[in-house]
């Protein structure tokens, strides 16, 4: 059985590759989506990868995931730390939500230490660069298998 999964990326992640490479690495956004698609295929997922710099668009996508009963892997980027609207939308999800971060926000500036998304997340994977997404797919695959 093929599972669908929605991968949502928040603001500024479209700038990967050129954005603070010392923090986020040199892989571009399109290379990131390529790596996610490859891993998803290997694990038998049908993946839908989206990025937006716009909070309302991300909220609409979370509503779509809730209505379609889709699991979500999300890097909310800076919205992680202050968007109660995104947090409320995450609370409506009925399927697993995995929060991912390329860097380890807990090891960075104080304002990054708190996530308003984590209370609704099944789990959080942070600090492994692009591998955070690949580990999230792996974790989701095992989770869905254990539920089947
Ligand atoms: C991030 C960490 C956030 O603090 C930051 O605002 C981002 C990216 C990460 O992937 O490490 O934009 O979510």
């Amino acid at each position: 059985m093929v599972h669908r999964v929605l991968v949502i990326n928040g603001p500024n992640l479209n700038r990967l590759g050129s954005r603070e490479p010392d923090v986020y690495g040199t892989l571009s956004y399109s290379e990131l989506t390529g790596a996610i698609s490859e891993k998803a295929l290997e694990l038998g997922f049908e993946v839908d990868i989206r990025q937006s710099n716009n909070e309302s668009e991300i909220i609409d996508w979370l509503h779509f995931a809730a209505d379609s009963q889709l699991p979500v892997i999300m890097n909310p980027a800076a919205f992680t730390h202050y968007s109660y609207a995104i947090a409320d939308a995450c609370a409506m999800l009925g399927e697993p939500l995995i929060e991912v971060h390329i860097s380890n926000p807990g090891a960075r500036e104080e304002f990054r230490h708190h996530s308003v998304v984590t209370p609704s997340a099944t789990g959080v994977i942070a600090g492994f660069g692009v591998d955070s997404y690949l580990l999230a797919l792996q974790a989701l695959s095992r989770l869905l298998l254990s539920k089947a």
Side-chain angles (χ1 to χ4, degrees), residues 17-145:
S18 59
R19 174 193 186 196
E20 299 179 83
D22 47 321
V23 179
Y24 299 110
T26 52
L27 210 73
S28 68
Y29 182 70
S30 68
E31 288 170 324
L32 168 71
T33 60
I36 295 170
S37 300
E38 199 176 303
K39 186 69 178 177
L41 191 70
E42 185 189 307
L43 293 169
F45 282 115
E46 192 179 297
V47 74
D48 179 351
I49 311 169
R50 306 179 184 192
Q51 188 278 329
S52 181
N53 296 321
N54 185 325
E55 188 179 25
S56 72
E57 194 167 29
I58 292 173
I59 293 165
D60 287 344
W61 292 343
L62 289 165
H63 293 173
F64 165 74
D67 292 343
S68 313
Q69 295 175 311
L70 286 179
V72 175
I73 293 173
M74 178 163 70
N75 183 346
F79 288 143
T80 307
H81 312 299
Y82 69 90
S83 174
Y84 297 121
I86 286 180
D88 283 349
C90 288
M92 294 179 214
L93 295 170
E95 293 297 317
L97 165 67
I98 305 184
E99 178 184 341
V100 299
H101 299 282
I102 294 167
S103 68
N104 176 3
R108 299 177 62 196
E109 305 95 311
E110 185 88 35
F111 78 90
R112 297 186 203 274
H113 294 183
H114 183 64
S115 165
V116 297
V117 169
T118 298
S120 293
T122 310
V124 183
I125 301 174
F128 296 99
V130 167
D131 283 350
S132 293
Y133 293 82
L134 310 185
L135 291 165
L137 281 167
Q138 186 79 59
L140 183 63
S141 167
R142 291 171 77 99
L143 199 61
L144 296 176
L145 270 179

